[in-house]
């Protein structure tokens, strides 16, 4: 039934903790089913350049616990052109690849889908991004780890904030979505959380800070997603609060790319292991153009075009919980 013999695996776009565990799973599932597995370095750019390495079960020893990606990652401009994709297809054929597993985010899936459609080439996606913004899965690889990293950082900031009775603005990743800000904010007990999905307005922020001070709180943490809707960055927010509430001493902490690194959590390792098995076995069953996801603890498949086009929603109930928690 299955003519699949050689599968290529790559990581593409922004890296996330758990990508190595997913590579390991794809490689070992191939080995288990006696398929050849080819690692492709630097995502689609490596496919264009033929940057390949044959991988067996032993080439992925001791990486389940490692952050980053041993295959490196890239955002390839060349792959966005037809010429680049034609070269990539020629390299894939030359190498004898029968299918591709792409571990990445929606940009990578869009590229994979176009490549698959143009060349009738089987692809399977595994969602790897700390942003958790992909339709068709309740959790992406790296999200859980990033949340734990952010909560740990905010806990430490809280120590120094309360020692000095200060207010901290903590900027977290999330260019288009506030999942990290909202969940880590609730987890770390933030007084306010500013996210791209909702414009709470700066007046409300001032009101909330006034209330917080009046109720006897000695320190305050405001978590701000990069893409927050107020339109102000954390430094502008600091200036605004200092100008309007001089009783507050304000500091800013931008967590930045440390959120993308570190050893993956147990959740991300297990999820990656399950997704890798599903990706390879689905290709063996003749399926193509799907993303592997998780829904209600079950590993599922979602058509790639839906994963790319579908919109994820912020958890409105969690916003309400956050409001109650700041009482
Ligand atoms: O991985 C997604 C993400 O972390 C976004 O939240 C962030 O805006 C972006 O990557 C930054 O990525 P880079 O610095 O690699 O362009």
């Amino acid at each position: 039934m299955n003519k699949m013999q050689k599968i290529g695996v790559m990581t593409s776009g922004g890296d996330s903790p758990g990508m190595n565990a997913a590579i390991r799973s794809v490689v070992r599932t191939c080995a288990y089913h006696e398929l050849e597995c080819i690692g492709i370095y630097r995502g689609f750019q490596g496919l264009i350049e033929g940057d390949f390495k044959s991988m067996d079960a032993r080439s992925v020893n001791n990486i389940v616990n490692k952050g980053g990606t041993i295959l490196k990652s890239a955002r390839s401009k060349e792959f966005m052109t037809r010429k680049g994709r034609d070269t990539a297809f020629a390299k894939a054929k030359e190498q004898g690849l029968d299918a591709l597993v792409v571990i990445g985010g929606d940009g990578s899936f869009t590229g994979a889908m176009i490549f698959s459609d143009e060349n009738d080439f089987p692809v399977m996606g595994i969602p790897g991004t700390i942003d958790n913004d992909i339709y068709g899965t309740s959790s992406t690889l790296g999200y859980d780890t990033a949340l734990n990293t952010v909560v740990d950082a905010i806990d430490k900031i809280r120590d120094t904030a309360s020692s000095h009775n200060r207010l901290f603005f903590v900027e977290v990743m999330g260019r288009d979505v506030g999942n990290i800000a909202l969940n880590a904010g609730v987890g770390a007990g933030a007084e306010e959380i500013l996210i791209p999905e909702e414009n709470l307005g700066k007046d409300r922020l001032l009101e909330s800070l006034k209330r917080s001070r009046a109720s006897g709180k000695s320190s305050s943490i405001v978590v701000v997603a990069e893409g927050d809707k107020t339109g102000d960055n954390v430094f502008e927010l600091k200036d605004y609060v200092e100008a309007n509430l001089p009783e507050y001493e304000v500091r800013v902490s931008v967590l930045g790319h440390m959120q993308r690194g570190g050893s993956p959590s147990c959740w991300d390792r297990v999820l990656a292991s399950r997704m890798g098995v599903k990706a390879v076995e689905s290709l063996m069953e003749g399926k193509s153009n799907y993303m592997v996801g998780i829904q209600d603890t079950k590993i599922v498949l979602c058509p790639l075009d839906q994963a790319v086009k579908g919109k994820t929603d912020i958890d409105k109930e969690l916003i309400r919980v956050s409001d109650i928690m700041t009482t």
Side-chain angles (χ1 to χ4, degrees):
M1 63 153 194
N2 140 57
K3 294 200 278 319
M4 202 58 56
Q5 285 176 341
K6 216 183 213 190
I7 293 179
V9 58
M10 66 164 72
T11 47
S12 168
D15 63 334
S16 69
M19 280 185 161
N20 277 328
I23 295 167
R24 171 178 177 268
S25 174
V26 169
V27 171
R28 291 212 170 149
T29 308
C30 285
Y32 180 83
H33 289 291
E34 297 178 349
L35 305 180
E36 273 186 75
C37 189
I38 301 294
I40 302 162
Y41 285 96
R42 294 173 295 118
F44 292 114
Q45 194 55 39
L47 185 58
I48 291 170
E49 295 170 22
D51 197 356
F52 302 137
K53 183 191 172 207
S54 181
M55 300 182 90
D56 62 19
R58 296 286 72 76
S59 38
V60 287
N61 283 349
N62 304 325
I63 64 165
V64 71
N65 56 334
K66 298 265 187 326
T69 158
I70 59 163
L71 288 177
K72 314 275 182 188
S73 195
R75 294 186 171 109
S76 171
K77 288 225 168 65
E78 215 180 326
F79 195 75
M80 291 178 188
T81 67
R82 180 71 200 237
K83 189 163 169 279
R85 291 192 297 276
D86 286 349
T87 311
F89 181 61
K91 290 286 179 191
K93 285 284 103 186
E94 202 179 294
Q95 179 61 231
L97 294 181
D98 297 312
L100 266 186
V101 176
V102 177
I103 307 166
D106 55 354
S108 308
F109 292 164
T110 304
M113 223 167 57
I114 297 171
F115 180 75
S116 171
D117 290 346
E118 285 172 352
N119 303 296
D120 192 21
F121 193 85
V123 297
M124 202 52 74
I126 294 180
T129 163
I130 65 165
D131 291 339
N132 203 33
D133 59 348
I134 302 197
Y135 182 85
T137 186
S138 59
S139 194
T140 55
L141 293 181
Y143 175 56
D144 182 65
T145 305
L147 286 182
N148 287 307
T149 301
V150 172
V151 164
D152 185 49
I154 298 177
D155 286 349
K156 289 174 173 141
I157 290 168
R158 171 85 67 187
D159 289 344
T160 173
S162 61
S163 301
H164 291 268
N165 288 350
R166 281 174 174 161
L167 161 64
F168 267 82
F169 283 101
V170 182
E171 186 190 276
V172 301
M173 277 188 166
R175 198 168 24 201
D176 306 310
V177 289
N179 292 322
I180 293 179
L182 180 59
N183 283 270
V186 170
E191 273 64 45
E192 272 297 336
I193 301 167
L194 306 181
I195 53 176
E197 291 84 351
E198 301 244 317
N199 189 355
L200 298 178
K202 289 192 287 187
D203 290 345
R204 171 181 152 148
L205 176 63
L206 292 184
E207 282 313 310
S208 156
L209 291 173
K210 271 189 218 156
R211 241 185 300 118
S212 161
R213 182 54 57 112
S215 75
K217 290 192 183 174
S218 60
S219 66
S220 297
I221 304 281
V222 177
V223 177
V224 186
E226 283 174 298
D228 155 51
K229 270 273 180 336
T230 60
D232 288 341
N233 67 37
V234 267
F235 296 97
E236 290 162 342
L237 285 171
K238 170 188 191 287
D239 292 344
Y240 179 76
V241 169
E242 278 180 338
N244 287 281
L245 299 175
E247 66 272 30
Y248 268 105
E249 193 183 346
V250 191
R251 293 289 185 273
V252 167
S253 189
V254 176
L255 299 188
H257 284 77
M258 58 99 82
Q259 296 164 89
R260 287 232 296 248
S263 180
S265 64
C266 179
W267 168 266
D268 278 327
R269 296 180 199 192
V270 174
L271 184 61
S273 304
R274 295 175 75 192
M275 285 179 164
V277 170
K278 183 74 173 178
V280 172
E281 293 187 343
S282 299
L283 286 169
M284 292 175 71
E285 288 162 12
K287 299 197 173 90
S288 170
N289 260 306
Y290 286 97
M291 177 196 78
V292 182
I294 182 164
Q295 298 288 7
D296 299 329
T297 76
K298 296 244 168 356
I299 296 295
V300 295
L301 292 180
C302 170
L304 259 190
D305 63 331
Q306 281 181 30
V308 166
K309 289 189 205 122
K311 282 276 302 156
T312 55
D313 290 326
I314 195 79
D315 185 346
K316 290 262 167 32
E317 178 57 16
L318 192 54
I319 296 179
R320 202 175 78 82
V321 168
S322 163
D323 287 344
I324 295 172
M325 289 306 106
T326 56
T327 303

